[in-house]
């Protein structure tokens, strides 16, 4: 089988997945991208059996998905209830008790293709966006290994009948989540702050008289890819 793997640059989980692809498939092309980096020209002429997206930091064009004869699949760091970006943030904000990771077929519309497999994990009371995200990635790489070996053993994949539960969260939704205003209650501000705190990044933004002020002592998260 021939496979095109596209993942995130400088990410240990993507490195693990890419190494696995190289070991399992003789005819493998591996591409790693940083956020905002364009697909290399060589990819535009690729055609083969499987296209695999793993924490890919950009939406892949439909023309590329069509050139995977057996399937184009993505490993999304969220369950069917949380398609799109910033999924761990919204799950923390909504007070969920359970989360998950999803393997699904790709369509041009983000996180809308047939679901192949879902792996569930608990959300603990003490979880933060950081701890949930790290645990989510550990579940996701395990699911990746399971699906890749299933492809080798069975030759193909089929949707399992599960459905996405809502439209994908967008960058606009994510920006709204980390915006706080003076009119919000103390509880709502605390809830949003917890949902958008991630080590090493600026905090939520205060919207005041039409201007935005970043709260530097807190930490804004990176929206999860997939």
């Amino acid at each position: 089988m021939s496979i095109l793997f596209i993942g995130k640059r400088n990410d240990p989980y993507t490195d693990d997945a890419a190494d696995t692809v190289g070991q399992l498939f003789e005819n493998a092309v591996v591409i790693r991208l940083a956020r905002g980096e364009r697909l290399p020209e060589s990819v535009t002429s690729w055609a083969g059996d499987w296209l695999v997206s793993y924490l890919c930091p950009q939406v892949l064009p439909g023309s590329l998905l069509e050139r995977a004869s057996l399937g184009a699949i993505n490993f999304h760091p969220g369950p069917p209830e949380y398609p799109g970006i910033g999924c761990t943030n919204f799950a923390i904000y909504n007070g969920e008790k359970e989360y998950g990771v999803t393997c699904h077929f790709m369509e041009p519309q983000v996180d809308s293709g047939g679901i192949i497999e879902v792996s569930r994990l608990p959300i603990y009371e003490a979880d933060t966006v950081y701890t949930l995200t790290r645990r989510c990635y550990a579940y996701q790489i395990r699911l990746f290994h399971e699906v890749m070996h299933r492809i080798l053993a069975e030759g193909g994949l089929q949707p399992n009948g599960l459905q996405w539960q809502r439209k994908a969260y967008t960058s606009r939704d994510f920006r709204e989540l980390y915006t706080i205003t003076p009119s919000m209650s103390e509880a709502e501000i605390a809830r949003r702050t917890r949902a958008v705190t991630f080590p090493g990044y600026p905090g939520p933004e205060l919207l005041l008289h039409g201007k935005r002020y970043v709260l530097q002592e807190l930490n804004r998260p990176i929206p999860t890819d997939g």
Side-chain angles (χ1 to χ4, degrees):
M1 292 184 195
S2 58
I3 184 169
L4 170 61
F5 175 93
I6 305 178
K8 186 177 182 180
R9 189 185 299 278
N10 299 324
D11 176 77
Y13 293 101
T14 300
D15 292 343
D16 184 333
D19 289 344
T20 298
V21 165
Q23 293 169 9
L24 296 181
F25 299 89
E26 291 185 2
N27 189 3
V29 176
V30 174
I31 304 293
R32 294 177 176 87
L33 299 173
R35 189 175 298 277
E37 185 177 1
R38 299 182 61 180
L39 285 169
E41 290 294 328
S42 59
V43 172
T44 61
S45 60
W46 178 87
D49 296 316
W50 292 97
L51 168 61
V52 177
S53 170
Y54 192 90
L55 294 178
C56 180
Q58 64 175 267
V59 178
L60 300 177
S63 58
L64 179 59
L65 306 184
E66 293 173 353
R67 292 202 292 274
S69 62
L70 297 181
I73 63 175
N74 178 52
F75 290 84
H76 172 63
E81 296 82 9
Y82 286 90
I85 72 168
C87 305
T88 50
N89 309 97
F90 287 107
I92 291 291
Y93 176 76
N94 291 330
E96 300 287 4
K97 302 300 182 184
E98 185 180 68
Y99 196 63
V101 294
T102 305
C103 175
H104 65 94
F105 288 105
M106 285 191 285
E107 299 288 346
Q109 182 179 346
V110 172
D111 297 343
S112 65
I115 294 173
I116 299 165
E117 192 62 70
V118 178
S119 180
R120 299 280 181 174
L121 60 145
I123 298 179
Y124 303 117
E125 186 174 347
D127 263 327
T128 64
V129 175
Y130 176 79
T131 60
L132 178 58
T133 299
R134 302 321 296 175
R135 199 162 70 255
C136 163
Y137 285 169
Y139 273 72
Q140 181 172 285
I141 191 63
R142 184 171 66 185
L143 179 62
F144 174 84
H145 285 285
E146 292 173 357
V147 171
M148 289 298 101
H149 282 87
R150 188 190 306 178
I151 287 175
L152 286 179
E154 302 175 9
L157 299 169
Q158 296 294 327
N160 65 5
L162 292 176
Q163 301 295 319
W164 295 100
Q165 298 300 301
R166 56 156 291 146
K167 293 182 179 179
Y169 285 101
T170 65
S171 296
R172 182 176 180 177
D173 297 325
F174 186 70
R175 184 173 178 82
E176 171 61 26
L177 180 64
Y178 68 75
T179 299
I180 60 177
T181 68
S183 63
M184 291 178 181
S185 67
E186 182 179 355
E188 176 65 12
I189 291 174
R191 184 181 173 196
R192 290 188 179 222
T193 298
R194 177 172 179 250
V196 300
T197 297
F198 198 97
Y201 291 85
E205 293 181 356
L206 173 64
L207 182 60
L208 185 63
H209 302 305
K211 296 182 179 180
R212 289 180 174 269
Y213 301 87
V214 178
L215 304 183
Q216 295 289 351
E217 71 275 14
L218 300 173
N219 303 300
R220 184 194 303 174
I222 302 175
T224 48
D225 299 309

